[in-house]
Amino acid sequence: RLRWWDRAGRRLDSVADPGAYTQIALSPDEKYVSVGRDGNTWLLELSSGVFSRFTLHPAGGGDAVWSPDSRQLLFTSNRSGKANLFVKSIGGRVAESLFQEEANQWATDWSPDGRQAIYISNQGRFVYGLDLRSAERQPQLLFESNFNTDEYNVSPDGHWVAYGSTESGRWEVHLATFPDFAKIRQVSVAGGSQPLWRRDGQELFYLHPDGRLMSVEVELGADFAETSAPQTLFPTGIDVNPLWNQYAVTAEGQRFLTVVPEEREQIELIINWPELLRRTPQP
């Protein structure tokens, strides 16, 4: 189920019917949510509750990332035989292939200035930037890691990027200068993944492995970053997958949309009940 919460962990409205939802992303204008479902990307219009399928090709598509102006989605699809990048306008019918290569490409972010598509390959060992304004569209290798990484999210000022990495032996959230990755520091404690920024860049959120939503205050400079100790906001109930975005945050950092397991009533099943009756003293 898709459910809204406030910053104190108070349950707000649910949106849409329960479903097999995976990844979600809130559009920058906060009018739509892209939702991974059944191997496709769907759009949920928050004002009307209308769910519409966005990826129309039989091969589907996922890992959707919003453009800064909320008019397009960057996503990954294997319609060409490999997982490659495509872009499509909201309300459009045809998706444009950005470029083709043999290695699988997984969309992870769109730079705040609208210039670069950020994607990973080889389980996040390689991170690339693709200049969308260049006619050649030649990818540039930004970062090479010896460990799995994912969920790159560029800061609103464009000078830093938050991401998850396994270099410590488990998933932790790191900050790095962008696009050079010259300085890197870990900001999470005891595990973390799926970092998202508040719109002003002064707070970073992430999920602890047990599903708690965490907050880190951030002070950013061109080549330095000061961060506070992580603080727990509230337990979300999310079954955390470090490779997916399973929550979204509004611009001011006061409301959160999460993908949480549907609550169901429990029943007790008693087996061999005739024997239980036989052994129960009768009045």
Side-chain angles (χ1 to χ4, degrees), residues 216-233:
V216 175
E217 295 180 4
V218 182
E219 182 181 352
L220 298 177
D223 59 356
F224 77 92
E226 297 292 336
T227 59
S228 69
Q231 301 293 322
T232 298
L233 293 184

Side-chain angles (χ1 to χ4, degrees), residues 103-116:
N104 290 325
Q105 309 159 12
W106 305 100
T108 185
D109 200 13
W110 198 318
S111 63
D113 62 5
R115 178 176 291 276
Q116 287 195 90

Side-chain angles (χ1 to χ4, degrees), residues 118-122 124-129 140-150 152 161 163-167 174-185:
I118 315 300
Y119 72 93
I120 61 174
S121 67
N122 192 23
R125 302 294 177 97
F126 301 99
V127 184
Y128 294 91
Q140 176 188 4
L141 179 63
L142 302 178
F143 181 50
E144 183 176 348
S145 175
N146 294 323
F147 307 93
N148 295 351
T149 70
D150 208 336
Y152 285 79
V161 63
Y163 63 98
S165 172
T166 61
E167 65 183 66
H174 292 70
L175 276 179
T177 49
F178 184 82
D180 59 11
F181 286 80
K183 295 183 178 181
I184 300 176
R185 58 173 296 176

